[in-house]
Amino acid sequence: MKQLRDWFTSGSPWIWLSAAAVSMSLIIVLGLLALIAFRGLGHFWPAAVVEMEYVIAPESTQTVVGEVRGRETVDQARIRDTGQYVATEAPELDRLLVKIGNRRLNGLDFRWVLEPNIVSRHKPPELMVLERREWGNFYGRLTAVKEAGDVVAEGAGASEVLLERLDRAVDLHARAKRIEKDDIGSVNYRLEQLRLKQRRLELEGALTAKAEEELATARAQALADYEQMREELSQLNAAAGRDSLVARAGDGREVEIPLASVVRAYWPNAMSLPRKVGFYLAKAWEFVSDEPREANTEGGIFPAIFGTVMMVMVMAVLVAPFGVIAAVYLREYANQGVLTRTIRIAVNNLAGVPSIVYGVFGLGFFVYFLGGSIDRLFFPEALPAPTFGTPGILWSSLTLAVLTLPVVIVSTEEGLTRIPRAIREGSLALGATKAETLRRVILPMASPAIMTGLILAVARAAGEVAPLMLVGVVKLAPSLPLDGNAPFVHLDRKFMHLGFHIYDVGFQSPNVEAARPLVYATALLLVLVIIFLNLAAIRIRNYLREKYRALEN
């Protein structure tokens, strides 16, 4: 009994308890990451396409073609209540979730198939998958390839001809999209700037005949460029619409599909392991480098990645100076009285305010008040259309800077507190002023603590969604906040964000089953982005810590 009491008195139980809690936390975090990675990364692997003979009524069957995406066990009574035919009397039965695609033919992407009703199933190597720009995947068999309505290939050799012509169609579509979005978008931007310039001159009373002539010349040049681009775009679209394919769905219906609407064609049942690995890598790269399509349920998420990283970087640039200045004032200049203690309590309490409150504050103060004032002072020619008086990436960054400001202030203050008083006195004794001591001695030594606060701020800001929904984030942004149009960085534009993309795809998508794997993949990518940003900040912090360790000793 005495030994047990001594063991408790020594504190060993609490050490082991703390170690167990940390271990459990790590296991939970790693397990969560493993689950997200497994469900998300598996989405890009080319799944086998199954052809099943399915009983829908006594002595009546139909062919179901698609990818098996899930399985569950249900009560037979629950199935019979829906009016479906069940080919077994077992109280429980398994059913499969099959992605049948062909939404334009079937009206839906997924259907449940009762396993006892399956008469046969096999995986023919000739089953083809078409990824399309709209209407989702198509599953079936290739029958012919056409050029301008005439059959150029059919039968066994049609697949090679299809892939060759599909590469051409994809390249033409990419060129057309580049002209439509970048080149024509640049011309539209120039025309809008000319309109605003003319309106500004009118408001200032400086619209002379010479200025009107210059504006008309510039506008005529822009319109001439537009006509040239439109002609080139029309030629590309005509060339892309030349080829098509004829495919037969699982139910026997034949459809003709323009190659201009196809992204990728492949035969998963006939693919070897190296080809599947290559397909997997290509799909993963498309996910991180391409733009979304099909209501964000297909394609990539590059705009969301770009918007998240840019917003966090702008936020970090804004929050660091204000947080450091506030902490320096509270620690080095303010009288340590009741008012200073009250301010510290208020700063600590601000860290616990719900983020949506900051979003409401950002919408009211930054967007409507500050942005509206900027529009009236500097952009009167654009009114009543707002320039900065509308949600955008600048106001989102400022809102998150206010949200994370308490973290930076507290962390910086802690770093300033740990610096020995003797270092300050030694610097002052050598003739340095207080400002010089702060700039050249104190702040460099406190820089690891400042970086720690910035790391915590980045980690929280990158994952916030609620305030961004009010101050700038959108489902689909037409253009990035950074492009080739002067002034190149457009902080007034709306943007996409990984966190909001997860919410939108997971809960607002019209096709939840199709979007579910993308939720896991996007969540994993968001975690990786946060880890990357944190690792970069940690590396800088460790470098600064080593650099100034000698002074601390």
Side-chain angles (χ1 to χ4, degrees):
M1 193 68 181
K2 182 179 182 300
Q3 292 179 345
L4 183 62
R5 186 169 56 252
D6 293 341
W7 185 61
F8 271 96
T9 306
S10 66
S12 296
W14 318 122
I15 296 175
W16 284 102
L17 185 61
S18 300
V22 172
S23 300
M24 286 296 298
S25 300
L26 289 176
I27 291 172
I28 292 172
V29 170
L30 294 177
L32 177 62
L33 291 177
L35 173 63
I36 294 175
F38 175 77
R39 298 295 297 271
L41 296 178
H43 170 66
F44 307 116
W45 188 260
V49 180
V50 181
E51 186 176 54
M52 298 176 284
E53 287 298 319
Y54 184 68
V55 179
I56 58 175
E59 300 182 359
S60 177
T61 63
Q62 67 177 196
T63 303
V64 178
V65 176
E67 303 173 8
V68 177
R69 290 295 186 88
R71 175 192 295 268
E72 70 176 13
T73 302
V74 294
D75 294 333
Q76 183 184 138
R78 174 184 166 188
I79 300 299
R80 290 191 182 277
D81 289 343
T82 63
Q84 297 183 58
Y85 172 74
V86 182
T88 180
E89 297 298 329
E92 292 185 343
L93 49 90
D94 292 336
R95 65 176 182 174
L96 307 177
L97 179 64
V98 181
K99 183 177 182 180
I100 59 174
N102 304 5
R103 189 164 71 243
R104 198 163 192 170
L105 297 176
N106 302 319
L108 68 164
D109 272 327
F110 291 82
R111 67 172 291 183
W112 288 101
V113 174
L114 301 176
E115 197 161 25
N117 290 18
I118 300 174
V119 178
S120 65
R121 70 177 83 180
H122 50 285
K123 303 174 183 178
E126 68 273 11
L127 283 178
M128 174 185 63
V129 181
L130 295 178
E131 291 184 19
R132 298 182 289 183
R133 304 188 192 281
E134 54 186 18
W135 297 108
N137 288 357
F138 178 88
Y139 299 96
R141 290 173 170 84
L142 176 66
T143 59
V145 179
K146 292 185 176 182
E147 178 182 329
D150 299 326
V151 176
V152 295
E154 57 184 347
S159 60
E160 296 181 2
V161 177
L162 170 62
L163 294 177
E164 179 182 346
R165 292 175 178 260
L166 181 58
D167 289 339
R168 171 185 174 275
V170 169
D171 179 66
L172 290 173
H173 179 271
R175 289 163 56 187
K177 186 176 181 180
R178 185 164 56 248
I179 292 175
E180 187 177 28
K181 183 176 181 181
D182 297 338
D183 299 341
I184 294 181
S186 178
V187 171
N188 290 333
Y189 183 80
R190 284 161 53 193
L191 290 172
E192 178 64 14
Q193 293 305 307
L194 290 172
R195 185 189 70 82
L196 294 177
K197 183 177 180 180
Q198 180 175 352
R199 176 60 179 162
R200 182 167 62 251
L201 292 175
E202 290 175 353
L203 293 175
E204 295 173 355
L207 186 60
T208 62
K210 183 179 179 181
E212 285 186 351
E213 183 180 355
E214 293 176 351
L215 290 170
T217 302
R219 189 177 293 110
Q221 180 61 47
L223 291 174
D225 294 341
Y226 170 75
E227 289 298 328
Q228 182 180 356
M229 294 173 187
R230 191 178 68 171
E231 178 64 24
E232 184 179 358
L233 180 62
S234 177
Q235 294 175 0
L236 288 173
N237 288 333
R242 183 194 70 178
D243 299 324
S244 62
L245 65 90
V246 179
R248 187 170 63 252
D251 57 6
R253 287 180 289 178
E254 285 195 348
V255 293
E256 184 172 347
I257 302 173
L259 291 191
S261 66
V262 179
V263 178
R264 184 181 287 108
Y266 60 99
W267 290 259
N269 297 341
M271 294 172 69
S272 62
L273 181 60
R275 290 183 61 189
K276 287 186 176 182
V277 173
F279 179 91
Y280 179 86
L281 295 177
K283 286 284 290 182
W285 173 248
E286 178 190 71
F287 180 68
V288 299
S289 63
D290 206 354
E291 295 182 353
R293 61 178 189 271
E294 285 281 317
N296 290 349
T297 61
E298 299 287 346
I301 56 171
F302 174 75
I305 299 173
F306 187 91
T308 303
V309 174
M310 184 173 179
M311 183 209 65
V312 169
M313 293 177 65
V314 174
M315 183 276 302
V317 170
L318 294 173
V319 74
F322 288 105
V324 172
I325 290 172
V328 167
Y329 175 78
L330 290 174
R331 176 55 55 185
E332 302 293 333
Y333 289 97
N335 294 324
Q336 303 303 312
V338 176
L339 180 60
T340 304
R341 289 196 296 271
T342 303
I343 293 174
R344 286 198 179 94
I345 293 172
V347 169
N348 292 330
N349 289 336
L350 282 176
V353 174
S355 60
I356 190 65
V357 176
Y358 287 98
V360 174
F361 168 78
L363 181 65
F365 179 74
F366 291 134
V367 177
Y368 293 152
F369 175 72
L370 191 57
S373 301
I374 291 174
D375 284 352
R376 287 189 295 272
L377 290 174
F378 300 104
F379 303 98
E381 67 277 6
L383 294 174
T387 302
F388 280 93
T390 184
I393 191 169
L394 175 61
W395 306 134
S396 297
S397 301
L398 275 172
T399 301
L400 291 184
V402 174
L403 186 149
T404 57
L405 189 61
V407 177
V408 179
I409 293 175
V410 172
S411 180
T412 303
E413 260 206 283
E414 291 296 327
L416 294 172
T417 304
R418 289 198 300 267
I419 298 175
R421 185 178 181 85
I423 292 180
R424 294 178 173 83
E425 294 174 349
S427 176
L428 295 174
L430 291 173
T433 64
K434 188 170 185 178
E436 291 174 336
T437 300
L438 279 171
R439 187 175 69 254
R440 299 186 178 182
V441 180
I442 304 302
L443 286 180
M445 293 181 65
S447 56
I450 297 173
M451 290 303 302
T452 299
L454 196 58
I455 291 168
L456 297 174
V458 165
R460 183 177 181 187
E464 285 292 346
V465 176
L468 300 180
M469 296 170 66
L470 300 176
V471 290
V473 74
V474 291
K475 175 185 178 73
L476 185 63
S479 55
L480 297 176
L482 182 67
D483 60 18
N485 299 319
F488 310 115
V489 179
H490 307 274
L491 297 179
D492 57 310
R493 289 183 181 174
K494 297 175 176 58
F495 66 104
M496 295 180 67
H497 185 271
L498 286 172
F500 182 77
H501 187 80
I502 294 171
Y503 163 76
D504 175 69
V505 172
F507 300 98
Q508 303 296 314
S509 173
N511 197 344
V512 176
E513 292 294 342
R516 185 175 298 167
L518 291 179
V519 173
Y520 289 102
T522 308
L524 177 63
L525 192 58
L526 176 59
V527 172
L528 293 179
V529 168
I530 295 174
I531 290 175
F532 172 78
L533 294 172
N534 284 346
L535 287 178
I538 289 171
R539 185 176 180 84
I540 297 174
R541 182 190 64 183
N542 292 340
Y543 168 77
L544 295 173
R545 182 175 293 167
E546 292 295 328
K547 182 177 180 180
Y548 297 107
R549 179 169 292 176
L551 291 177
E552 293 178 0
N553 295 334

